[in-house]
Amino acid sequence: VIVVIVVGVIMAKGYVNIFISSNVTSFTSQKRFPSSTTLAELKGKLELITGASASSMKLELLDIRQKFICALDNDMMSLEAYNVQDEMTIHATDIDPSKTKGQFEDLSEVKKYVMSEEEYAKRGESVRAFKEKMKLGRFAEKDPEEDKRREKEEEELAQSISIGSRCEVSIPKATAKRGVVMFVGKTQFKEGYWVGVKYDEPLGKNNGSVDGQKYFECAPKYGAFVRPTNVKVGNFPEDTIEDDEDEM
């Protein structure tokens, strides 16, 4: 088990900000420690943050280019005593073979309580009950004529999108993504018209299948379904990982 700690900018005299990443967990967090923190104290804090065991944790100090400087093997010495500088890295190895990456994040092993629709509907002070009372969201009163007009507009827009066309997908509050149109039409997973897109990069949600129904072929995480209103067809160059400005 490997834990990597990137030491950041010293925010105030006697303190250091540390960015902690670990192969026990997949996320990175930022913590602030006094420079006087001993390695024994640091290991205890990292145990709570990463799940790695202090008793089986080994530390090394790396420079900003990730090159080895020295082993941090004296638990009584402090970060300051080891001259830990901005943007250096403290690399921790948990030698316990039972520790694996992501073991504390696998929610599939956690038993969950699932309330049935019938039980939830009986609750008088739920969000659902409030929406029903105020006629909000899916409980709002609908104008049949307005629904027909919107469906007609969506159908006409879908018919203008050709399979095989290069496109750019723009969804509110999300970065635009580019790809190829692979599917246009109605689906089984939700009403209305949908456009299936194979993205240039693995930024999608599926492999062209939803709920076991295959609509088109692509690699996992490259496929997505979006509304026709979010798709613009045109001569859009293919996104590449090397193109930092266009990276999604």
Side-chain angles (χ1 to χ4, degrees), residues 153-170:
E153 289 180 352
E154 193 175 69
E155 180 182 7
E156 292 175 352
L157 187 55
Q159 290 175 347
S160 69
I161 300 173
S162 301
I163 293 177
S165 299
R166 290 288 303 169
C167 68
E168 185 170 78
V169 175
S170 298

Side-chain angles (χ1 to χ4, degrees), residues 1-14:
V1 173
I2 308 297
V3 180
V4 177
I5 308 162
V6 179
V7 178
V9 180
I10 296 177
M11 300 297 294
K13 185 176 180 180

Side-chain angles (χ1 to χ4, degrees), residues 2 26 34 41 57-58 65 76 89 102 116 124 134 154 159 176 178 182-183 187 200 220:
I2 308 297
S26 61
E41 293 170 336
M57 191 184 298
K58 302 296 182 182
R65 295 181 178 82
M76 302 307 295
T89 297
S116 67
M134 303 304 294
E154 193 175 69
Q159 290 175 347
R178 294 177 182 178
M182 302 293 289
F183 170 89
T187 66
D200 295 337

Side-chain angles (χ1 to χ4, degrees), residues 48-59:
L48 297 175
I49 296 168
T50 67
S53 298
S55 60
S56 55
M57 191 184 298
K58 302 296 182 182
L59 303 178

